[in-house]
Structure formats: C-alpha cells, structure tokens
Amino acid sequence: MPQSKLSGQAYHQATKHSYLSVQMNPNYVDGSTQPRAFKVYPKFYRRVKLNCNNPTHAFIRLTSAITFEKFYKGETYQLRVNPSAGALYPTEVYVQIRGVEGFLDGIYHLEVENDCLTLIYELIDDGLENYVIPNKRINGFIFLVSCVYYRSSWKYQDRSIRYCLLDSGHHLGAIAASAYLHEKNIQLIFDFDKLSLNADLGFENKEFISSCMISGEAQEKPVRRLRLPIPFVCGTDYFQANQFLEDAYQATSLQPSHQQQLEHPQFNFDRERFSENVWNRRSIRRFLKKSISQEIYWQILQDVQQPIPTKNIEEIEIYSVVHRVEGMLPGLYNGRKLIKAGDFTEKSGYLCINQALARDGAVTLFFVSDYLSYQTAMQIAGLIGQRVYLFSHYWGIDCSGIGAFYDDEAQEFLGTNKDVLYVMTIGK
Ligand SMILES: Cc1cc2nc3c(=O)[nH]c(=O)nc-3n(C[C@H](O)[C@H](O)[C@H](O)COP(=O)(O)O)c2cc1C
C-alpha cells in the first residue's frame, strides 16, 4: 500500500467515534468562549460592496450569503447558504478576479459578515494560476476555499479535521449552485501546491486552503507566483493550536487523487425555483416519520450522482437505509440493489449516536470510499452532501448532514471495509 494511502486512512481512523469514546469525551464546550466565525481584513484595504442588481456581484455573494438569523440562549446565530457542522463555519472564500468588467484584477477575500469583497492583492504578471493550474491564465474567477480550523477544533477537537473538509466540500457545492444559477462554467481542482499557497497567502498555521474552483476562460500563458507576501490576518479573535489537525492536514495535502476525464453535469432544474431553494435551504431538526415518494427519491439519487466537473476525483459509494419510501421494501440498499431487508430505523438512530433524525427520516444515506486522497474524498463527500440538501429541498423533502456516527459499527452494519466518510438523512 502506498505511504500516502496509509496516512489518509490512519488520520480517519484516529478520529473514529465509538460508544465508549463518546461517553468518555462528550464534547461539551462553554458557548461563550466560541471563537469568531467571520474573518475581516483591516479597514485600510479597499472594499467593493456587493450589489445584488449586478450579476457578477450576485454570483459571488450567493456562494456564501447569510440567509437566516436565529436566536438561541441569548445569542444570535447567522446561518448561511452552506451548512456547517455545529454551525461553526470554519470555511472562508477568496476569489481571484481577472479581466472582469468593473473589477481591478486582484485577489479578494469574501467578507461574509458585511457582504463585500476586500481587495487583498493586486495582480500584475502574477496570480493564483501558478499554484493551481500552471502555464494557464484564467480570465474570470478562481475561487479558493480555506479553513480557519480553530473555529471547528474549539468544539470538535481532533475530529474537526473531518468537519473542516466536509464543510469545505459543502462550500464548494454552494459555489457550484451559484455558478449554475448564474450560468457560469466551473472546474474543481483538488490536486495542487496547497502548502506553498498557504505560505504565500500569509496563513501561518491558522488557516489552510482545501480546494479551488475555476470559472472562466483559460489562455495558454504562464503567470508568475505572487510577487509579494500577503500579511497574516487571524480569522478568529483568539487561537489554540491543535497539532493533530495541523499534522493531518500537512500529511494529506500531498496525496494525489484518482484522475478522470473532465465531465460536466446536466441539470434540468427550474432556475427560479432552484434559486428560492438555495436561499431557503435549512437543516431539518425533527422529522414527522412520513413517507416520501419513490419517484422523487430516485430522481434525487440520480441527480446527486451526476458527474462532478473535476479531473481529480475520489469515488463515493452511497448505501441507503430505506425506512419510509412508498412502494419500497424497508432495508439496506446499495443503489437499487437490496442487500438486507428489515426495519433498521432504530439501528440507524443508534449508529448516528442516538440522533432521532437518522431514525425518523425516510432514508439515511451512508457515504463510503476507498480513496487515495483523503482531502479530496472528504470534500467530494461534502459536495455531494450539498447536492443532497439542495435537490431534496427542491422536491419539498427535508434533509440534514450527520457527521457524528459510530464508525466501526456503521462499517460493520453496511458490510464494507471502506471508510464511512459522512451520513445524511432525508425525509418529511
Ligand atoms: C459536515 C456536517 C455535519 C453535520 N452533522 C450534524 C449532526 O451530526 N447532527 C445534526 O443534528 N446536524 C448536523 N449538521 C447540520 C448542522 O448543524 C447545520 O448545518 C448548522 O446548524 C447550520 O444550519 P443550517 O444547515 O440550517 O444552515 C451537520 C452539518 C454538516 C455540514
């Protein structure tokens, strides 16, 4: 087995939950010590306020917008287009804009709290292409998704390596949804020199790049590395290092993914309805144990499994535990194949650390993979997860991501030795 494969799986293994581990370490935190979830560059940087009447502004804004405010135990929580484990939002978005009318060519940070783009770097003959797609020059947009990991490790400790990557995948899915609505082509890139880029973006050990998405026209023309360093700005108001997480990120950054031909998905959603859906997406908190239609269930699964526009891929296999789908025998399925029939509602709830969501939904989906690149696999799982949210909602079906589950027992129940990366539940 190649060394790189060993290390990805070893890090996943090291963050497994079991009945005992959850009893011994229940992750209780004092909410008043939560680190800040919004990064803001100093005020001397030039800013562009995003105006929804401008299509380019609307495209960028919808990748990360705040869509709901919630009051809970005296605190206000601002929920966003992208879901996030524990609503901790470790991800940030940067976008390089080149040759787009109304914008200076530069690298911008998307300041979600204030709906603006902060120009952190002006381009001359240099740019992000050098790191992500060498020998090309992109006229258009290069999005980078990063993680300010302490926002998540504050609560989830070592297991937050999973949530940082799954959340990054969800955020990529949110960018892809905005691109779909604004009729932009996209390509995702997972295999690139992330470590050099972190250094040149001034992230120190506190933030790391997870992935990249390109939208625009590629020209055959080399671009230089960034000619100047970018100053470090902390994405939280205070910080505590987590050595495990930093090591896990470093060790899994250099693992090359499986490769495939670039292929684009073909979706047929009504764009107006899909747009409302993106603005209104939420995680369900409680299901009413109602059935869903079989036709819609298959439609969702089919669309979710459409091609992902990237050359760097890890295959995600989906096991479905069907609880309540009209006309279907309850049981464990792999695609359309019934593996074992039975009522596994209680079992699903138990496996997801006794979360009623997994018991009361119509279907609980388990994402498993035998991957080369851990970072790519987790992010693809998150991206598919974002599709599950959006496509279920589109058909009036509720959904939630589930990152907390007993790993070994889930694997045993599914009868697989592939790693279980993520669980989702859909229903009414
Ligand atoms: C990777 C991931 C894991 C999650 N795990 C759980 C979970 O185990 N249990 C749960 O109730 N919600 C879970 N959620 C849902 C989040 O709590 C939810 O996204 C967050 O509170 C924000 O709310 P929203 O999705 O309605 O915007 C998860 C979400 C993500 C993206």
Side-chain angles (χ1 to χ4, degrees):
M1 192 182 288
Q3 183 59 38
S4 57
K5 182 162 178 169
L6 260 181
S7 68
Q9 285 167 339
Y11 284 107
H12 195 70
Q13 164 94 22
T15 59
K16 281 181 173 177
H17 275 330
S18 66
Y19 182 77
L20 198 66
S21 76
V22 172
Q23 299 296 313
M24 310 252 301
N25 190 1
N27 273 348
Y28 292 133
V29 280
D30 172 358
S32 67
T33 66
Q34 182 178 348
R36 253 181 82 71
F38 293 102
K39 181 171 182 176
V40 177
Y41 275 82
K43 59 176 184 286
F44 57 79
Y45 282 99
R46 189 190 300 208
R47 281 167 166 78
V48 180
K49 184 77 186 160
L50 293 174
N51 163 8
C52 279
N53 297 322
N54 173 319
T56 304
H57 289 210
F59 163 45
I60 295 171
R61 180 164 179 249
L62 192 59
T63 65
S64 310
I66 294 170
T67 51
F68 191 68
E69 286 206 345
K70 188 165 132 178
F71 300 95
Y72 181 68
K73 292 190 178 168
E75 301 278 337
T76 307
Y77 292 87
Q78 292 177 308
L79 307 184
R80 314 187 190 182
V81 281
N82 50 309
S84 167
L88 300 175
Y89 303 104
T91 50
E92 293 287 330
V93 167
Y94 298 80
V95 54
Q96 175 179 298
I97 305 181
R98 192 195 286 283
V100 175
E101 207 191 310
F103 285 90
L104 277 176
D105 288 355
I107 302 173
Y108 297 79
H109 168 246
L110 178 47
E111 197 172 287
V112 176
E113 188 177 30
N114 302 312
D115 266 337
C116 63
L117 285 174
T118 307
L119 179 61
I120 59 169
Y121 190 90
E122 278 190 57
L123 304 177
I124 302 183
D125 58 346
D126 50 355
L128 296 178
E129 292 90 337
N130 186 291
Y131 307 78
V132 296
I133 184 163
N135 300 318
K136 296 260 193 315
R137 185 181 141 113
I138 304 295
N139 285 315
F141 308 89
I142 300 180
F143 289 91
L144 294 175
V145 176
S146 75
C147 287
V148 177
Y149 80 74
Y150 182 53
R151 290 182 194 152
S152 183
S153 64
W154 163 74
K155 178 168 185 184
Y156 295 120
Q157 302 160 15
D158 293 355
R159 194 166 166 106
S160 64
I161 184 68
R162 298 183 179 208
Y163 301 142
C164 283
L165 295 171
L166 290 170
D167 276 10
S168 295
H170 275 284
H171 215 145
L172 283 173
I175 303 173
S178 183
Y180 172 71
L181 284 171
H182 293 92
E183 301 186 48
K184 304 272 187 208
N185 63 359
I186 54 164
Q187 180 184 341
L188 280 65
I189 305 178
F190 295 100
D191 294 359
F192 59 95
D193 188 0
K194 296 175 191 169
L195 301 180
S196 303
L197 195 49
N198 291 332
D200 291 356
L201 291 172
F203 285 170
E204 297 191 345
N205 60 330
K206 299 175 183 64
E207 184 171 345
F208 56 74
I209 295 292
S210 32
S211 46
C212 169
M213 187 184 290
I214 289 175
S215 176
E217 298 304 317
Q219 250 181 304
E220 294 296 327
K221 190 169 179 186
V223 166
R224 268 209 303 153
R225 289 192 151 219
L226 299 185
R227 64 192 192 282
L228 299 170
I230 298 181
F232 167 69
V233 172
C234 194
T236 48
D237 41 357
Y238 76 108
F239 173 77
Q240 275 187 303
N242 177 314
Q243 198 57 51
F244 171 88
L245 205 133
E246 289 183 20
D247 291 347
Y249 172 76
Q250 292 262 343
T252 55
S253 284
L254 302 172
Q255 298 172 336
S257 319
H258 284 104
Q259 303 298 312
Q260 67 170 12
Q261 292 280 341
L262 187 62
E263 201 186 337
H264 293 275
Q266 302 296 330
F267 297 123
N268 259 323
F269 298 108
D270 174 279
R271 278 180 215 265
E272 205 169 311
R273 221 172 105 199
F274 196 82
S275 166
E276 284 168 23
N277 180 42
V278 169
W279 282 100
N280 297 326
R281 182 212 61 80
R282 287 274 75 79
S283 298
I284 188 74
R285 292 287 151 223
R286 195 167 69 90
F287 286 114
L288 298 174
K289 302 188 182 178
K290 288 194 183 162
S291 299
I292 63 171
S293 116
Q294 186 172 163
E295 193 188 344
I296 289 178
Y297 167 61
W298 289 123
Q299 183 67 54
I300 294 168
L301 264 201
Q302 191 182 314
D303 277 337
V304 158
Q305 290 174 313
Q306 282 219 35
I308 293 172
T310 178
K311 292 181 181 169
N312 319 133
I313 193 76
E314 296 297 348
E315 194 195 333
I316 305 294
E317 198 179 341
I318 302 180
Y319 285 88
S320 313
V321 188
V322 171
H323 308 311
R324 302 171 182 90
V325 178
E326 287 161 9
M328 275 182 84
L329 205 58
L332 172 65
Y333 290 79
N334 187 324
R336 288 182 182 259
K337 188 169 149 228
L338 177 64
I339 299 174
K340 51 185 166 190
D343 174 353
F344 297 119
T345 49
E346 293 298 333
K347 181 77 183 174
S348 300
Y350 166 75
L351 288 175
C352 295
I353 317 217
N354 290 318
Q355 296 192 69
L357 279 177
R359 182 193 66 202
D360 299 341
V363 185
T364 303
L365 305 165
F366 289 80
F367 295 1
V368 310
S369 181
D370 183 15
Y371 48 85
L372 291 176
S373 163
Y374 185 54
Q375 292 192 13
T376 305
M378 290 298 270
Q379 292 186 81
I380 300 252
L383 182 134
I384 292 176
Q386 188 70 6
R387 286 183 171 179
V388 174
Y389 265 104
L390 292 177
F391 302 172
S392 304
H393 265 247
Y394 183 85
W395 294 109
I397 289 170
D398 298 303
C399 172
S400 180
I402 298 188
F405 50 87
Y406 299 133
D407 289 82
D408 287 342
E409 289 189 69
Q411 256 179 321
E412 195 186 315
F413 170 66
L414 302 174
T416 179
N417 47 24
K418 296 181 183 175
D419 282 348
V420 183
L421 305 186
Y422 195 21
V423 181
M424 303 211 69
T425 177
I426 62 171
K428 285 269 192 188

